[in-house]
Amino acid sequence: MRAIVIGSDGLVGGALFSALAAGGLDVIGTTRRFDRVVAGRTVHFDLTEPDIAGIPSADIVFICAAMTSFAACRALPQLAKQINCVAPEALASYLVSTGTKVVFLSTSAVFDCQAPLMQPDRDYGGESMYGQSKAEAERRILGLGRLATVVRLTKIVSPGQQLFRGWVAALGRRQSIEAFDDHRISPITIQHGVDALTAIATRGEGGIYQISGASDASYYEIASYLASRIGAESSLVHPCSAASRGLPAEEITPFTSLDCARLSDLTGFRPPQPLNAIERVLLSESEP
C-alpha cells in the first residue's frame, strides 16, 4: 500500500508520515519548499500553484497542508481560499477519478462553536475565514463519493507550543500572565491525531470522522492549571476577555469539542480530558 502525505513537513503531516513509514507503508511526502525535497522520500507540491498531474500514484492520499492561522486567513482571504479549498478540492477530484482514496484534514471551526460535543451532521456555521474556507472544501470533497473522507480535529497541543511554553516560563519566574476566560479549546495530542488517521487509512470508510477532547477548557483554566502544577501562585494568572485583546468575535470559540462516536466505534478512541492532554504534552518529559 502506498500513501502520500500532502504537507509532510508540517506538525500533523510530519508525525503522520513517520508513523506510516514505521508501520511498513510505502510513504511519499510533499513539501512546498524545494530545499526540503529528498529523492525517494519527498516531492515538491505547492497548493498555491498545484501541479496535480505531478503527484505520484498512490492508494491513499492525506491532505494535511493548510493555511491554519486565523489571522493570516483573515488578512489574506483569497490565498486562504486557494490553499484551504480550491486546490484541495481540485486535487481530491483528480485523485478520486483515478480510484485513489482521499483523506482531507479539517477543523471544528467549520461550526459556530456555540455548543459542546458538536455532532458531525451539524449545520456549517463558522464565521471565520479559516472555518469558512474549510467548510467549503468539505462540501466539495464529500460530494466526490465513497472514496472521500473528511477528518475534523480540534486543537492539537504539542511540546513546542509557544503560548503555553511561554506561560510556564513566565510563571516559573513568578511573572504574572493574562489568559482568555471566554475562549475555549478541546485539546488533543499529536499522537491522538496520528493514531486516528492511521486507523482510518486502513479500516475506515468514507464520510466524516471527528477527533476531539472530551470537553472544553478556557485558556484561563489551562493557565491556572499550569500554575498549580509548577507550584506558582494562582494570583499570577489574570483572566481577560478575548475581545478585549482584539480577537474578532467570529474567531472566539465558546466551545470546540466534537462528538467522536464514529471514531470510537472504529478504534476504541477515548477522548482525553482537556487538562490531561495538557499534562501529557507540556508537563511530561515526552509523550508516550
Side-chain angles (χ1 to χ4, degrees):
M1 177 177 174
R2 169 180 276 185
I4 294 177
V5 179
I6 305 295
S8 61
D9 50 358
L11 176 64
V12 177
L16 178 61
F17 181 97
S18 297
L20 293 174
L25 269 66
D26 176 14
V27 190
I28 295 175
T30 77
T31 175
R32 63 186 179 86
R33 292 181 52 176
F34 285 102
D35 62 330
R36 292 187 178 179
V37 172
V38 178
R41 180 180 173 91
T42 52
V43 297
H44 178 263
F45 186 76
D46 190 341
L47 288 172
T48 62
E49 296 179 343
D51 176 17
I52 293 173
I55 291 291
S57 61
D59 300 291
I60 185 168
V61 174
F62 295 87
I63 304 178
C64 301
M67 187 172 178
T68 59
S69 165
F70 281 73
C73 289
R74 188 189 334 129
L76 300 166
Q78 291 304 313
L79 182 61
K81 184 175 181 179
Q82 168 67 21
I83 293 174
N84 292 341
C85 177
V86 175
E89 189 273 335
L91 175 60
S93 181
Y94 168 78
L95 292 169
V96 166
S97 73
T98 66
T100 303
K101 184 176 180 179
V102 175
V103 179
F104 175 70
L105 271 61
S106 191
T107 169
S108 56
V110 299
F111 298 127
D112 62 10
C113 297
Q114 295 302 305
L117 299 175
M118 293 173 282
Q119 297 288 324
D121 59 354
R122 183 185 179 92
D123 289 341
Y124 292 116
E127 296 184 358
S128 68
M129 186 59 218
Y130 174 58
Q132 289 180 352
S133 62
K134 282 290 194 175
E136 182 59 29
E138 282 195 17
R139 291 189 189 97
R140 299 183 187 185
I141 291 172
L142 289 170
L144 297 174
R146 62 180 181 82
L147 291 177
T149 300
V150 165
V151 181
R152 297 180 184 135
L153 301 91
T154 54
K155 178 73 171 180
I156 290 179
V157 289
S158 66
Q161 213 93 44
Q162 292 185 354
L163 174 63
F164 298 147
R165 284 296 183 192
W167 282 352
V168 170
L171 291 168
R173 296 190 297 268
R174 299 302 185 261
Q175 295 176 343
S176 63
I177 62 172
E178 289 187 334
F180 303 145
D181 60 0
D182 58 346
H183 188 41
R184 297 179 181 87
I185 59 174
S186 184
I188 57 174
T189 71
I190 189 65
Q191 194 62 54
H192 289 131
V194 167
D195 288 347
L197 290 168
T198 53
I200 290 168
T202 56
R203 308 197 303 275
E205 299 178 351
I208 300 170
Y209 290 89
Q210 300 190 146
I211 313 171
S212 167
S215 60
D216 300 272
S218 70
Y219 282 86
Y220 174 69
E221 291 173 308
I222 292 170
S224 297
Y225 177 72
L226 291 173
S228 69
R229 288 291 286 109
I230 66 172
E233 297 88 346
S234 60
S235 59
L236 291 173
V237 182
H238 302 285
C240 66
S241 71
S244 71
R245 294 298 179 267
L247 202 65
E250 65 270 17
E251 295 178 12
I252 299 173
T253 53
F255 302 97
T256 66
S257 55
L258 301 168
D259 178 271
C260 304
R262 190 182 185 207
L263 177 63
S264 296
D265 289 344
L266 178 69
T267 68
F269 172 67
R270 297 180 62 184
Q273 294 298 325
L275 299 182
N276 288 347
I278 297 296
E279 170 86 23
R280 180 176 174 181
V281 172
L282 295 173
L283 298 175
S284 301
E285 287 295 322
S286 62
E287 291 188 54

